Amino acid sequence: MSNTSLPAQPRPGPGQRKSSRGRVRAVKQRVPYINRQISNFDILNEEGLCLIEQNADKILRDIGMEFRGDAEILEYFREAGADVQGELVRFEPGMCRQIIQQSAPSSFTQHARNSENNVVIGGNNTVLCPVFGPAFVHDLDRGRRYATLEDFHDLVKIHQMIPHLHHSGGVVCEPVDTPVNKRHLDMLLGHITYSDRAFIGGLIGAERAEDSVAMAKILFGEGFLDQNTVIYGVSNTNAPLVMDDAMSGSLKVYARNNQAVACAPWMITGAMSPCTEAGTLAQLLAEALASCALTQLIRPGAPCLMGSFATPMSMQSGAPTFGMPEAAKTVLASGQLARRLGIPFHTVGSLTSSKIPDSQAQQEGTMTLIMAVLAGANFINHATGWLEGGLCTGFEKTIIDADLCGKLIQFCQGIDLSDNAQAMEAIAEVGPGNHFLSSAHTLKNFETAFYSSSVADANSFEQWQGEGSLPTAQRANKVWKGLLEAYQQPAIEAAKLEALQEYVVQRKASMPDRSYL
């Protein structure tokens, strides 16, 4: 690995795109995150929202939630006035909500090492983040295989080159050729080296979170880290109504260091929560309330998000299913509940059970991603690349999903009502019975008027056939290879990179290899 990177050489940038004939034409400038100019879709009325909130409070009061393996966390709750019996914690109605609303910010900035890529999470903003967690990767040339560190680096580079993604992500694939207890160090170093966007820290256990914080301090400076958010963390519950010390451990480290935590209940409905939307929503809200309250007890003002991952299962096989109407309704209602709580909303998109980038993958992924956007999500994890129920990252799927992200970014801009967009002079110029193809307005706007897909083919059948009759996945295959070929490493200070590399070397040397968590 090189110690530094060369300055970027001139090439089509985020405000340009190269056409199929090699001509560079202007496109709308890339933005670091979406500022939605469209309305959210509210699926529940006031009565329904109040009912879900009352049921969540009842769950927390009468049933409670277990926090396993961490006596310090139980003490935080005990001191705040919760009823702690062993590892079971019960809360009076409204207690968690009050703790959250007293100090949790409604929005925050996650800083990237390139300040132009800082993301503001909250309000009307949406951040699109690639897939997280798969142990396998898939592409049309090599098929399905266990992921390696080389695959991980290639995906980080591809994501860096995609203008419709805003975040570098976390475990974009599990590099199984590195020891399981050390690979988080390689992954963090990979994100910092090959991307200049914000990233997700290590999630499982306090030790990996501490490594993430230590590396962030090297990159940003200890004082900066204490007052600013540079790490995005996710803490999943073990539904129903449990959080173990692996997840609470990382939550505790990030909250204590003023870093963001998305408190995201993870539910296969019908197995880990009730098989009805109303029951799942009450349980989901209860778990999120208790988890978010914990972040504020540890450090008031630390950024936290209400998370939602709830998808049905097949009642015939027990396998999770994606892109289903039940999940769509649940995420829309979850967005409403998060807005009432007053904190940002984290959820997921582009999920599918399909094993390859086919019509099932596109249909299911499109449904989940669009619903997340309409739910007003502030951070959408798994926006690109997810295959096989989360077991696999697809290279072609990444490109197809990114194209959908681009369409949604333009959709979220709403309808332009500027003088230019009203086009009254153009309508007067053309008049009845003529066409707009050669009008001054069309000539002025034709380069940026419409979204231009990177993978769709709108040519005639004869032209499509003459160019090889390529289906969408094969066109996407060409795109990701082209992005890797065009990739240039973003510049980073040599001294910081050397210090990070040395930290990774020393940490690896301090522990034996393990092949288990």
Side-chain angles (χ1 to χ4, degrees):
M1 184 183 298
S2 62
N3 287 336
T4 188
S5 58
L6 298 174
Q9 299 301 310
R11 68 171 188 269
Q16 297 178 310
R17 180 178 293 135
K18 204 169 192 179
S19 74
S20 59
R21 296 181 180 178
R23 178 174 57 86
V24 174
R25 67 184 186 86
V27 297
K28 293 182 179 179
Q29 186 70 22
R30 175 192 172 268
V31 294
Y33 52 89
I34 304 171
N35 182 256
R36 300 186 309 277
Q37 301 299 310
I38 60 173
S39 298
N40 302 315
F41 189 98
D42 291 344
I43 195 169
L44 287 176
N45 60 20
E46 179 68 17
E47 181 181 3
L49 291 166
C50 288
L51 178 64
I52 298 300
E53 290 171 342
Q54 290 166 8
N55 287 345
D57 276 344
K58 186 174 182 180
I59 291 169
L60 290 173
R61 181 194 65 196
D62 297 345
I63 302 169
M65 183 167 169
E66 289 187 1
F67 290 82
R68 296 177 178 172
D70 194 323
E72 184 182 14
I73 283 175
L74 298 173
E75 190 58 30
Y76 276 117
F77 284 129
R78 185 178 289 108
E79 290 181 359
D83 177 19
V84 180
Q85 302 294 330
E87 294 183 323
L88 181 66
V89 184
R90 294 188 179 92
F91 306 86
E92 286 300 312
M95 176 182 172
C96 292
R97 182 177 295 272
Q98 182 180 15
I99 291 169
I100 294 164
Q101 293 178 336
Q102 281 177 343
S103 58
S106 58
S107 68
F108 63 94
T109 298
Q110 185 187 2
H111 295 263
R113 70 175 179 86
N114 177 356
S115 61
E116 293 182 1
N117 291 327
N118 293 351
V119 291
V120 179
I121 299 173
N124 289 329
N125 302 327
T126 296
V127 174
L128 298 174
C129 178
V131 65
F132 187 104
F136 299 92
V137 291
H138 175 275
D139 65 67
L140 296 184
D141 302 294
R142 295 165 288 184
R144 180 184 187 266
R145 63 195 185 281
Y146 278 108
T148 65
L149 189 59
E150 182 180 2
D151 290 317
F152 182 93
H153 289 160
D154 282 348
L155 285 164
V156 172
K157 293 173 184 178
I158 290 169
H159 298 152
Q160 170 75 9
M161 294 292 289
I162 293 174
H164 309 313
L165 285 173
H166 309 121
H167 207 272
S168 194
V171 185
V172 296
C173 65
E174 282 275 1
V176 299
D177 56 340
T178 61
V180 69
N181 61 319
K182 300 179 181 180
R183 66 180 61 149
H184 66 287
L185 297 162
D186 289 316
M187 289 188 285
L188 283 167
L189 185 60
H191 280 297
I192 294 168
T193 303
Y194 298 115
S195 175
D196 60 2
R197 296 177 181 172
F199 55 84
I200 296 175
L203 303 186
I204 302 176
E207 185 177 36
R208 296 178 190 188
E210 293 283 10
D211 281 329
S212 303
V213 170
M215 293 178 71
K217 286 179 178 178
I218 294 172
L219 184 63
F220 291 95
E222 187 167 347
F224 186 87
L225 197 75
D226 184 64
Q227 298 301 315
N228 299 276
T229 299
V230 304
I231 299 172
Y232 192 94
V234 181
S235 185
N236 297 125
T237 58
N238 309 92
L241 299 166
V242 171
M243 179 178 281
D244 63 29
D245 59 347
M247 283 299 174
S248 64
S250 60
L251 177 153
K252 187 168 59 175
V253 170
Y254 289 137
R256 186 171 289 146
N257 285 277
N258 195 37
Q259 302 307 296
V261 180
C263 299
W266 202 97
M267 298 173 177
I268 305 299
T269 61
M272 303 164 72
S273 70
C275 61
T276 56
E277 294 92 45
T280 289
L281 283 165
Q283 181 187 318
L284 186 153
L285 180 58
E287 294 182 11
L289 283 168
S291 303
C292 288
L294 176 58
T295 68
Q296 300 309 295
L297 294 176
I298 293 169
R299 178 165 175 168
C304 66
L305 301 88
M306 174 179 160
S308 169
F309 185 112
T311 193
M313 65 179 227
S314 167
M315 290 298 188
Q316 287 72 44
S317 68
T321 57
F322 302 97
M324 299 300 156
E326 297 83 7
K329 289 184 281 185
T330 301
V331 76
L332 291 171
S334 297
Q336 288 183 264
L337 293 165
R339 287 192 291 278
R340 286 165 69 89
L341 188 56
I343 59 175
F345 178 46
H346 163 109
T347 192
V348 294
S350 293
L351 310 187
T352 181
S353 300
S354 183
K355 318 308 178 283
I356 58 174
D358 59 6
S359 59
Q360 177 189 347
Q362 186 67 16
Q363 183 199 83
E364 292 175 349
T366 299
M367 182 73 166
T368 53
L369 186 57
I370 289 177
M371 290 301 110
V373 169
L374 293 179
N378 301 113
F379 192 98
I380 301 179
N381 206 11
H382 313 299
T384 61
W386 170 297
L387 281 174
E388 202 180 331
L391 293 176
C392 188
T393 300
F395 280 69
E396 289 80 21
K397 177 70 158 44
T398 294
I399 300 304
I400 296 169
D401 289 341
D403 191 55
L404 175 60
C405 289
K407 293 175 182 177
L408 284 172
I409 289 170
Q410 189 147 330
F411 174 72
C412 287
Q413 294 172 358
I415 294 179
D416 182 3
L417 296 177
S418 65
D419 289 343
N420 174 68
Q422 292 177 55
M424 295 302 292
E425 291 183 3
I427 296 170
E429 174 195 342
V430 171
N434 296 308
H435 64 74
F436 288 82
L437 292 175
S438 60
S439 73
H441 184 267
T442 299
L443 294 174
K444 175 183 175 182
N445 291 280
F446 83 97
E447 291 187 318
T448 58
F450 305 121
Y451 179 78
S452 180
S453 172
S454 63
V455 293
D457 187 299
N459 297 320
S460 68
F461 176 85
E462 290 76 15
Q463 185 172 350
W464 170 77
Q465 190 176 50
E467 293 177 352
S469 307
L470 298 181
T472 303
Q474 289 186 12
R475 293 194 295 272
N477 179 271
K478 288 188 172 185
V479 172
W480 71 256
K481 290 177 180 176
L483 292 179
L484 272 182
E485 184 179 354
Y487 170 82
Q488 292 184 9
Q489 184 177 330
I492 183 172
E493 292 180 34
K496 288 184 176 179
L497 184 56
E498 289 171 3
L500 287 161
Q501 291 169 335
E502 181 61 26
Y503 178 87
V504 169
V505 169
Q506 291 180 359
R507 284 289 292 130
K508 285 183 174 181
S510 71
M511 60 183 116
D513 291 353
R514 289 206 315 262
S515 58
Y516 55 90
L517 291 177

